[in-house]
């Protein structure tokens, strides 16, 4: 499937869930690995806010891309964020969604309000 680059420069992204290992197989507890590098994958939860609308999303990040100093509720940057549509059949039911992946997650600053009174 095609990956779609997500432009985040006009958005505020806040960390809502701390990084935790991405589980590949729930029965065995096997951790998911990057297909190319073999590096362990992690997931984080964020709220993505843009144009007065917000979405809660999970983002997959290689373990080496998790920066120090991340704080729940604080703004973060997601360099290389892409979205990938997916679909599958599970127990005879068609399922679909969007998977998000970034190269890293780093602390960021709150955006400066434009037009605010001093």
């Amino acid at each position: 499937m095609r990956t779609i680059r997500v432009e985040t420069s006009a958005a505020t992204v806040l960390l809502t869930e701390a990084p935790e290992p991405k589980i590949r197989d729930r029965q065995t507890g096997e951790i998911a690995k990057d297909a190319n590098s073999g590096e362990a994958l992690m997931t984080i939860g964020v709220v993505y806010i843009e144009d007065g609308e917000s979405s809660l999303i999970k983002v997959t990040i290689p373990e080496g891309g998790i920066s120090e100093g991340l704080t729940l509720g604080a703004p973060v940057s997601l360099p290389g964020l892409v979205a990938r549509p997916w679909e599958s059949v599970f127990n005879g039911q068609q399922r679909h969604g969007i998977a998000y992946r970034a190269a890293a997650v780093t602390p960021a600053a709150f955006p400066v309000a434009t037009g605010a009174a001093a």
Side-chain angles (χ1 to χ4, degrees), residues 26 37 41 72 90 100 110 116:
R26 294 185 197 282
S37 69
L41 296 174
L72 290 179
F90 183 74
Y100 294 92
F110 280 105

Side-chain angles (χ1 to χ4, degrees), residues 19-61:
E20 57 184 45
K22 181 173 183 168
I23 306 299
R24 181 174 190 265
D25 184 331
R26 294 185 197 282
Q27 292 180 345
T28 65
E30 179 185 0
I31 305 298
K33 306 265 187 212
D34 181 89
N36 296 322
S37 69
E39 186 174 10
L41 296 174
M42 306 290 282
T43 61
I44 60 167
V46 300
V47 62
Y48 184 95
I49 307 165
E50 186 175 14
D51 294 332
E53 295 186 19
S54 64
S55 298
L56 291 170
I57 61 173
K58 293 270 192 183
V59 181
T60 299
I61 298 167

